[in-house]
Amino acid sequence: MKKMFAGAAVGMAALIAAIVPARAQSDFPTQPITLVVPFAAGGSTDLVGRLVAQRMSQELGQQVLVDNRAGAGGNLGATAVAQAQPDGYTILMGTIATHALSASLYSNPPFDPVEDFEPIAWLVTVPNVLAVNPQFPAQTVEELVALLKENPDEYVYASSGNGSPLHLSGELFKALAEVDMVHVPYQGSGPALVDVIGGQVPIIFDNLPSSTEPIKSGQLRALAVTTTERAATFPDVPTMQEAGIEGYETNTWNALFAPAGTPPEVVAKLTEAALAAVADPGVAARLEEVGAIIVGAGPEELGEHVRAEVERWAPVVERAGARMD
């Protein structure tokens, strides 16, 4: 009888242990959620992150708090999330930098973009833009190329950081246009824009959303977008290929990820809230105003996208000669 009672007690304990976590997960979230944006405030990823976080807070009934952890081309913040407790309370605003380029830029990447994360939602894709300070003499890409060829290594360009998509955009431009410029990395687009607008650095490769207002206000002059089609928000700005840089195409994207091992039901709740956020008319209108193209895809499509992007960008990184080791 004692053995039977002991066995029943063990069985009941196991049943309770199984039920309690499940209930806790079904009640998710019961506390604020941290959304790590792996770039400085003021950039494109930060802009998208804050718009989505505010709307997700309403959907989830808990605050989604943005935590900017800039550094190492997005890898600092991404690594922190990959190592976080897989409970859904720490998530990442991932980008092409963290989930496509890092795998090729480093011989020993600090994380695996596929194995170390659970996909939540693919939010938007974003064109990049080549822009200059309005006092800079080049009015077009053709004039910029001519100026750079006449004065090799005399000019510098800014980006949101070493190993970022914008760094790669600049290196690919140098390779295809056969010109030289010195790269000046910043910890995010925000600080880079401040120096370009202020005239300390003449040239920038940036995400279109963070440069939209400075371009509209005349603080920057857009020379070309980096996608194969013109941006709807700036129909008069040519593409790089139209401007004579054959074979040029880069862009970026923003997506949400959780640490690997996050329970599926938690991921499902985060997915539902994220997709509701980008479907909200007010959020969608604001995103479209700054040139972001809404995707609104779930975990399966995002996972497939990440795997495809890792493969797609490996030869581009090699061709550009960009390495972070």
Side-chain angles (χ1 to χ4, degrees), residues 151-176:
N151 306 278
D153 286 328
E154 182 175 330
Y155 294 102
V156 300
Y157 78 94
S159 85
S160 59
N162 278 321
S164 70
L166 305 167
H167 174 201
L168 182 60
S169 292
E171 295 304 304
L172 185 60
F173 174 79
K174 287 165 56 177
L176 295 181

Side-chain angles (χ1 to χ4, degrees), residues 94-179:
T95 71
I96 188 175
T98 59
H99 281 72
L101 302 183
S102 179
S104 298
L105 285 167
Y106 294 85
S107 297
N108 296 296
F111 54 82
D112 186 306
V114 176
E115 298 297 329
D116 291 341
F117 295 90
E118 299 290 348
I120 296 173
W122 179 8
L123 305 173
V124 298
T125 58
V126 178
N128 300 332
V129 63
L130 165 60
V132 296
N133 181 282
Q135 303 304 316
F136 192 68
Q139 302 288 320
T140 65
V141 171
E142 184 180 11
E143 290 179 6
L144 174 62
V145 170
L147 191 64
L148 294 174
K149 287 187 174 181
E150 291 172 7
N151 306 278
D153 286 328
E154 182 175 330
Y155 294 102
V156 300
Y157 78 94
S159 85
S160 59
N162 278 321
S164 70
L166 305 167
H167 174 201
L168 182 60
S169 292
E171 295 304 304
L172 185 60
F173 174 79
K174 287 165 56 177
L176 295 181
E178 299 180 344
V179 296

Side-chain angles (χ1 to χ4, degrees), residues 39-87:
F39 296 99
S44 170
T45 303
D46 180 65
L47 186 154
V48 174
R50 290 179 187 278
L51 284 171
V52 171
Q54 184 177 19
R55 189 64 182 84
M56 285 181 68
S57 298
Q58 298 173 25
E59 290 291 320
L60 293 168
Q62 290 285 347
Q63 286 295 307
V64 179
L65 305 172
V66 172
D67 179 7
N68 295 93
R69 298 193 197 181
N75 282 353
L76 185 65
T79 301
V81 175
Q83 296 173 351
Q85 186 74 17
D87 54 13

